[in-house]
Amino acid sequence: MRRLLPFFCLLAALCVATVTRAADRPNILFVFSDDHAPHAIGAYDGLFKSVNPTPNIDKLAEQGMLFQNSFCTNSICGPSRAVIQTGKHSHLNGFMRNGNKFDGDQQTFPKLLRKAGYQTAMIGKWHLGTDPQGFDYWDVLVGQGEYYNPRLKSTKGVRGVEGYCTDVVTDLALDWLKSGRDADKPFMLMCQHKAPHRTWMPAARHLHLYDDVEIPEPETLFDDWKDNAFGAREQEMTVREHLNIVYDLFGPPINGWDPDAGVSVDKSGFRNLKTMTPEQLKTWNDAYGPKNAELEKAPLKGDALVRWKFQRYAKNYLRCVKGVDESLGTLTAYLDEAGLADDTIVIYSSDQGFYVGDHGWYDKRWMYEESLKMPLIVKWPGVTQAGTVDEHLVQNLDYAETFLEIAGAPVPDDMQGRSLVPLLKGEKVEWRDAIYYQYFEYPGYHMVPKHVGVRTADAKLMHFYEFDEWEFYDLAKDPEEEHNLYGKKGGHQKTIAALKGRLAELREQYADDTDLRPRPAEWQKKYRP
Ligand code: SGN
Ligand code: CA
C-alpha cells in the first residue's frame, strides 16, 4: 500500500488539474436569435409573460444571471453581429448598415479564441455578407435565411436542407457538439437562429399554439407620436398601414389589400412560402385557411383591423419564439446528457429588440427601449449565482472582451467594450454611467432617420442629426417614452445640457467623428413633409 501512495497522489493531482483546467477554460454555448425582444421572454417580466412563451429561457435565467439593462449599439442585424465579432462600434468595424460587407480580415474574437486554444463554430444566421473567418467550422444560412427548407453555406458550398429553419440549425449544432468537434479542446459554439424575424413563420407543430388565447395589447399600440421628432410619424413600420395582411400575416387580401404593399425586399412577396414542400404548404393552408375565411366573411376596418392584425402578428411572432425556446431546451438537455453542463457557459441573446405592436409598430432600428434592449441571460456554472438580476448598463460591445476573459486570452487594447466577467462573478466594480448609440440606415427600409444618442440609468437623449431634431425622455417617469420633453418647459434643461456633454464625450471616447451637421434644407424637404 505504501508503495502505491505516490501513484495515488499523482492520480489525485492529475484529477485536480483536469478539473481546474475545465473550470478555467469553460466551453461557451452562445444561443442567439434574431429580433427577439426581451419583453417577449417570460423572465423579463414583460407583457407577454402571461402566455408563457419561453419556459426554457426562463429556466436559464433561474439558473444564471439576467441582464436587465442590456442594449445594442446599433439596432439592426448585420451591424449588431459585427459589433459582437469585433468589440468595436459600427463606425470602426466598418459594418454600419445592412448590405455592407463585413471585412473578415480584421481582428475578431473568434480568431483570438482559436489562438488561445478554443475550438470555434458558427452555425445558423450570419448575415454579414462575406464568409465567416476565425471558425474551425461554419455552416451558415444564405442571406436572411428561409424559414422552410433553408439553404446553408459551408466551406463545401451551398446546399438545401429539408426542415424548419430553427430545427435545422439546432440539429446542425447538435451534430457538431456530438461528432464535429475535438473533445480535447474547450469550445465556443455560436448557434444563431433566423426566428423570430419577419415574416414570422412558425413550425408546423406550433401553427395552432395560442389559437384560443388573446394576446395582451401593448399600451402604445395606438400611439400617435404626437410630440416625437417627425421621423416617428413618417416611418414605414406600422401595424396599421405597413404590415401587409397577405405577405406578412398570410391572411386574405380584404379591402382590396395589395399583397406587395410595404414589401421591402422580395417583390414577389412569397419566397418563404415558395420554399415549402407541397405537404408543408398543405399543413400551413389548413391552419390559416379557416381563420382567414372568417375575416373574409366579415372584413374588418380601422382600429378593429389593427387589433386583428396585431393578434395574428403577435401570435406568429410568439410561435416562432417558441421554436427558439425549444431549441435552447434541446441543446441544454444534450449538455446534461453528455456530462458537459458543468463545464459549459450557456448564453442566450438576440441581435436587438423589436416592436411587437409597441408604439403601433413592427421592426427595430430606433433607440427607443423596445428595440434598443437586447436579451442577455448567462448561466456560468459555479460562477453566476442562480436567479440573479444585474442592472448595470451593458452592451453587445462587451461580448468579445467577455468571451476572451472567460477563455483566459489577452484582450486587445483597441476593443471598445468591457468584459462582463466581474459582473458575472457578482463583484462590485465601477461601471459606465451611460451607453452610446448610433443608427445609420437612411433613407432605407422602414425609413428611420439616422440618429445618435446617449442613455443613462434613467434618461435618454436622441439626436436625429440630418434633420437636427432632438428627443429627450425621463425614463424614470415615462418608461414607455410617450412624452418627448425636449424643448418643453419643466426644468429639464440642465439634464439635457449634461446629456449633450456626455454624448460629446462618448463620441470622443469611441472615436466617432461621423459628420453630424444637418443636411441642406433642399435635401431635408424630400423626406420631411
Ligand atoms: C428585411 C425585412 C425588413 C427588415 C430587414 C432587416 N423585410 O428587409 O422588414 O427590417 O430585413 O432585418 S422582409 O420582408 O424581407 O422580411 S435584419 O434582421 O436583417 O436587420
Ligand atoms: Ca435582427
Side-chain angles (χ1 to χ4, degrees):
M1 186 65 201
R2 261 226 180 124
R3 257 188 292 146
L4 282 179
L5 203 60
F7 171 72
F8 282 130
C9 286
L10 182 68
L11 194 69
L14 272 176
C15 285
V16 171
T18 327
V19 169
T20 341
R21 208 174 323 129
D24 276 356
R25 317 192 74 207
N27 305 310
I28 305 171
L29 170 63
F30 181 72
V31 182
F32 193 67
S33 60
D34 197 346
D35 296 357
H36 190 184
H39 61 296
I41 292 177
Y44 276 92
D45 210 13
L47 183 62
F48 304 122
K49 189 187 177 177
S50 56
V51 301
N52 188 26
T54 53
N56 291 298
I57 301 175
D58 300 351
K59 188 170 150 200
L60 190 71
E62 276 162 29
Q63 299 171 331
M65 183 176 272
L66 177 146
F67 288 85
Q68 190 69 57
N69 289 307
S70 145
F71 308 102
C72 58
T73 59
N74 180 355
S75 182
I76 187 79
C77 181
S80 174
R81 290 153 203 263
V83 167
I84 291 174
Q85 286 292 307
T86 59
K88 290 179 186 164
H89 274 282
S90 308
H91 64 280
L92 290 189
N93 70 46
F95 201 105
M96 290 152 76
R97 47 186 294 166
N98 276 345
N100 285 157
K101 299 265 175 247
F102 183 64
D103 168 14
D105 289 339
Q106 66 186 301
Q107 166 184 284
T108 62
F109 86 80
K111 292 183 188 171
L112 299 172
L113 278 190
R114 259 183 110 180
K115 236 194 223 163
Y118 268 62
Q119 255 211 330
T120 56
M122 163 66 225
I123 294 167
K125 184 163 173 182
W126 171 248
H127 205 216
L128 286 173
T130 50
D131 287 349
Q133 291 191 40
F135 295 97
D136 293 285
Y137 178 78
W138 56 271
D139 203 353
V140 300
L141 295 167
V142 174
Q144 290 277 7
E146 290 94 14
Y147 267 112
Y148 277 81
N149 314 316
R151 287 165 302 145
L152 285 122
K153 186 178 185 194
S154 70
T155 48
K156 293 187 194 133
V158 175
R159 72 201 188 285
V161 180
E162 206 175 307
Y164 177 66
C165 190
T166 306
D167 300 340
V168 167
V169 168
T170 307
D171 289 346
L172 289 168
L174 276 179
D175 286 349
W176 185 79
L177 282 174
K178 288 179 184 167
S179 54
R181 67 195 174 92
D182 173 352
D184 292 334
K185 286 185 176 171
F187 66 79
M188 163 62 165
L189 167 59
M190 307 184 83
C191 173
Q192 307 202 155
H193 293 296
K194 179 212 168 64
H197 188 274
R198 194 180 180 193
T199 51
W200 315 289
M201 295 172 71
R205 65 181 176 284
H206 295 141
L207 285 173
H208 291 284
L209 188 69
Y210 311 128
D211 267 3
D212 303 320
V213 175
E214 174 97 2
I215 307 291
E217 283 175 7
E219 218 176 275
T220 55
L221 180 60
F222 295 97
D223 200 341
D224 57 8
W225 321 285
K226 72 176 176 339
D227 53 24
N228 293 65
F230 94 93
R233 284 183 297 279
E234 296 301 316
Q235 42 56 43
E236 296 175 359
M237 55 168 77
T238 59
V239 172
R240 186 184 295 272
E241 275 180 60
H242 306 102
L243 192 65
N244 191 307
I245 295 184
V246 181
Y247 171 76
D248 287 310
L249 301 177
F250 314 100
I254 56 161
N255 310 339
W257 200 280
D258 170 3
D260 278 346
V263 174
S264 49
V265 168
D266 180 344
K267 290 290 177 202
S268 75
F270 292 98
R271 68 180 184 285
N272 285 332
L273 289 180
K274 271 184 185 159
T275 71
M276 285 183 170
T277 64
E279 300 78 53
Q280 288 166 340
L281 191 60
K282 179 168 183 316
T283 311
W284 187 268
N285 287 333
D286 286 350
Y288 289 104
K291 297 171 191 161
N292 290 348
E294 270 173 49
L295 183 69
E296 254 181 317
K297 239 192 305 168
L300 299 166
K301 284 207 162 124
D303 288 357
L305 184 57
V306 172
R307 296 205 143 97
W308 183 93
K309 289 174 85 179
F310 167 74
Q311 288 297 322
R312 173 69 62 94
Y313 161 45
K315 284 181 186 182
N316 282 347
Y317 180 89
L318 292 172
R319 288 166 180 146
C320 289
V321 164
K322 190 58 124 191
V324 170
D325 185 73
E326 288 176 357
S327 166
L328 181 69
T330 306
L331 292 165
T332 51
Y334 173 72
L335 295 180
D336 287 335
E337 186 192 307
L340 290 166
D342 287 346
D343 295 331
T344 305
I345 300 178
V346 180
I347 302 175
Y348 183 76
S349 178
S350 182
D351 57 352
Q352 7 65 211
F354 211 67
Y355 300 94
V356 191
D358 316 270
H359 296 292
W361 294 335
Y362 62 99
D363 215 67
K364 50 251 178 181
R365 300 161 192 272
W366 303 96
M367 197 196 169
Y368 304 124
E369 294 293 272
E370 293 84 351
S371 55
L372 175 65
K373 286 197 167 170
M374 296 168 75
L376 178 63
I377 300 173
V378 183
K379 175 195 168 197
W380 184 351
V383 175
T384 48
Q385 260 206 347
T388 40
V389 173
D390 182 281
E391 303 208 327
H392 292 89
L393 306 175
V394 305
Q395 290 195 282
N396 52 349
L397 188 68
D398 303 323
Y399 291 13
E401 285 168 60
T402 305
F403 299 148
L404 292 171
E405 188 176 347
I406 287 172
V411 175
D413 287 343
D414 61 351
M415 285 191 172
Q416 299 185 307
R418 251 188 98 172
S419 165
L420 304 177
V421 168
L423 305 183
L424 292 166
K425 289 184 172 165
E427 291 171 3
K428 282 217 158 41
V429 280
E430 278 288 304
W431 199 254
R432 61 168 74 93
D433 65 334
I435 58 143
Y436 178 57
Y437 183 85
Q438 34 169 222
Y439 173 78
F440 296 99
E441 206 173 310
Y442 188 86
Y445 296 135
H446 305 297
M447 294 301 279
V448 172
K450 291 181 186 172
H451 52 296
V452 294
V454 54
R455 186 203 191 278
T456 62
D458 51 19
K460 185 185 292 178
L461 182 74
M462 300 159 72
H463 187 199
F464 299 92
Y465 52 90
E466 290 190 321
F467 299 92
D468 199 19
E469 284 197 285
W470 296 79
E471 291 185 10
F472 166 74
Y473 294 97
D474 178 345
L475 297 174
K477 291 209 185 106
D478 177 24
E480 305 278 350
E481 297 167 302
E482 289 177 283
H483 309 288
N484 168 23
L485 299 176
Y486 192 89
K488 300 261 164 67
K489 287 198 188 112
H492 306 288
Q493 283 70 10
K494 254 200 183 150
T495 316
I496 291 174
L499 283 175
K500 283 190 177 174
R502 203 64 196 94
L503 185 63
E505 282 165 12
L506 288 171
R507 290 175 52 73
E508 195 168 321
Q509 177 188 332
Y510 292 126
D512 184 1
D513 55 9
T514 309
D515 184 357
L516 300 187
R517 281 173 306 179
R519 294 277 211 138
E522 273 312 296
W523 182 92
Q524 290 192 31
K525 252 197 253 155
K526 274 196 290 191
Y527 303 103
R528 183 188 189 154

